[in-house]
Amino acid sequence: MEKFLERIGRGILLVDTQGRVRFANPFLVERDLLTPDWEGRVYYEAIRNLDLIKVVHDTFAEERPQDLTFKHREDWYRAVSLKEGEVFVEVSPLSEEMRAKERNKEFLANVTHEIRTPLTVVRGVLETIYEEEEDPRRREMILRAIKRVENLIGVVESMYMLISLEKSAAKTIRPIDLREVFEEVVGDLSQEIRAKGIKVHLQIPEGIKVNADPEKFYLMVKNIVDNAVKYNVEGGEVFLRFYEKEGRKVVEVEDTGEGIENSQIPLIFEPFFRGSGEGGLGIGLAISKRIAEFHGARIEVESEVGRGSIFRIVF
Ligand code: ADP
């Protein structure tokens, strides 16, 4: 067994309940992921990569398996962990194809991050000018510019979210109140809802909890409700419901909008796919789909052109 573990092309690490490294195969030391004198040392002293330390730490803290892609020196690895009293971690090198994908993501993440900062500065400057300007016509123009910049910031943030979701980073899952999330989303969209004269029926009972990452879950709900408003008719309606079916929790968003052609339904979840009419960048639903998967849920769509659509998050 030991001979076999010495030769397989990936790392194996065992950390006991006291946090001490009990077993490691040579791979980890050869790749400089572990100090050569690891035996019996606490894991955060023995492991030489912060991401890998985090994987072990989170496995202990959250009592759940972790799955993280990370870079060390010039190489990419994937660490998968398991807790059975002790923590067991498998570290495998990524294939060339996966490495290329990771490099792409890293590049995109850097670009989006770099763009966000100057955009925030521009927004700040515009807001100051707006406050000092007295001419109503100019104020209106500045306000339009602020809206544009805010849209762009939204796009950049969404792209960043899309990329970081794919990195399957550590999860922060806790029970959240469904009705509260929807109340917050409806509140945040109140301007759009009012402008279009939409009537929102919040039919989710109080006290329903789902296990979710609060920030990501909020974003998914917001994207779907935002679409139900955006692609609705003037004076239309939106119904927000919760029920249980075959032991699964279901959250439903129904609108009385333009509907979606059946043949287009699989496409709307593709990044950058956009139907006709107004709309954003076409990544809202792509993000929502990944967020649903992240929670072990799926999104179902039922739609009829000219009548409206139903989006269901099924847990
Ligand atoms: P965006 O809204 O930014 O274009 P999304 O990813 O949220 O991007 O949606 C992709 C496309 O799916 C939209 O452009 C629109 O054509 C269609 N769509 C999404 N939700 C609805 C809806 N509730 N009713 C009709 N069409 C919708």
Side-chain angles (χ1 to χ4, degrees):
M1 184 69 176
E2 297 247 336
K3 276 264 167 299
F4 167 72
L5 288 176
E6 265 176 34
R7 269 187 257 136
I8 56 168
R10 71 186 89 130
I12 306 285
L13 182 74
L14 192 70
V15 181
D16 70 15
T17 48
Q18 308 298 309
R20 294 188 184 278
V21 180
R22 282 294 159 224
F23 178 81
N25 68 345
F27 178 94
L28 294 169
V29 178
E30 282 160 17
R31 301 291 179 112
D32 195 33
L33 285 157
L34 201 68
T35 54
D37 59 343
W38 51 265
E39 196 134 24
R41 289 181 72 169
V42 284
Y43 71 88
Y44 44 85
E45 282 174 8
I47 299 173
R48 303 178 82 147
N49 175 280
L50 272 179
D51 288 318
L52 194 53
I53 290 176
K54 188 169 156 44
V55 167
V56 178
H57 172 269
D58 290 352
T59 316
F60 273 121
E62 293 176 24
E63 302 243 342
R64 60 168 74 234
Q66 305 287 322
D67 184 343
L68 187 77
T69 304
F70 68 96
K71 192 177 172 188
H72 186 64
R73 308 276 175 244
E74 282 314 298
D75 292 309
W76 283 95
Y77 301 91
R78 178 177 177 197
V80 181
S81 71
L82 196 77
K83 185 166 180 267
E84 293 285 344
E86 302 172 314
V87 166
F88 173 83
V89 189
E90 182 182 354
V91 182
S92 359
L94 292 191
S95 67
E96 180 48 47
E97 189 190 341
M98 280 174 86
R99 276 211 298 271
K101 268 193 174 166
E102 288 302 326
R103 272 199 297 271
N104 263 340
K105 271 187 235 162
E106 200 185 33
F107 172 72
L108 263 176
N110 286 341
V111 170
T112 45
H113 188 73
E114 291 295 320
I115 296 174
R116 196 188 181 285
T117 314
L119 280 179
T120 319
V121 175
V122 172
R123 179 179 58 188
V125 173
L126 284 172
E127 277 166 356
T128 312
I129 301 176
Y130 178 74
E131 273 158 29
E132 287 168 3
E133 182 59 58
E134 280 167 11
D135 177 18
R137 206 176 58 87
R138 280 171 181 265
R139 274 173 74 91
E140 176 58 33
M141 276 160 64
I142 301 166
L143 203 57
R144 276 217 299 273
I146 293 176
K147 285 246 165 70
R148 282 283 169 97
V149 173
E150 261 167 6
N151 271 345
L152 266 180
I153 292 175
V155 166
V156 168
E157 277 173 352
S158 299
M159 285 184 67
Y160 192 73
M161 175 66 92
L162 189 61
I163 299 156
S164 50
L165 272 172
E166 288 195 358
K167 284 182 92 175
S168 60
K171 304 178 182 188
T172 45
I173 305 267
R174 62 176 176 82
I176 54 172
D177 190 288
L178 208 55
R179 193 182 162 93
E180 279 173 18
V181 175
F182 276 85
E183 275 171 354
E184 197 181 335
V185 166
V186 171
D188 284 350
L189 294 171
S190 59
Q191 225 180 330
E192 289 85 345
I193 291 170
R194 222 175 309 122
K196 227 167 161 171
I198 304 277
K199 192 154 173 35
V200 178
H201 307 269
L202 180 55
Q203 300 170 337
I204 298 171
E206 276 171 25
I208 308 266
K209 305 266 188 222
V210 289
N211 285 325
D213 177 313
E215 225 175 284
K216 296 190 176 79
F217 190 80
Y218 171 85
L219 189 66
M220 168 170 67
V221 170
K222 186 169 176 204
N223 282 336
I224 295 174
V225 177
D226 185 29
N227 283 346
V229 174
K230 208 161 59 175
Y231 301 110
N232 216 320
V233 289
E234 293 275 335
E237 289 177 282
V238 174
F239 298 87
L240 309 171
R241 304 188 186 98
F242 169 84
Y243 54 91
E244 282 190 61
K245 198 181 168 194
E246 288 154 12
R248 309 192 70 147
K249 291 181 169 151
V250 183
V251 181
E252 199 170 86
V253 178
E254 180 174 354
D255 66 63
T256 53
E258 61 195 51
I260 308 160
E261 295 259 5
N262 268 338
S263 61
Q264 299 229 317
I265 289 179
L267 300 178
I268 60 176
F269 294 99
E270 292 292 318
F272 305 112
F273 173 84
R274 296 192 41 205
S276 55
E278 61 173 315
L281 194 74
I283 55 177
L285 286 179
I287 291 175
S288 301
K289 181 173 175 227
R290 281 175 178 78
I291 295 179
E293 285 163 359
F294 179 89
H295 288 98
R298 62 168 192 272
I299 302 180
E300 291 175 358
V301 184
E302 210 180 291
S303 189
E304 201 178 319
V305 175
R307 289 196 69 133
S309 316
I310 304 177
F311 281 74
R312 290 193 191 96
I313 306 166
V314 184
F315 282 90

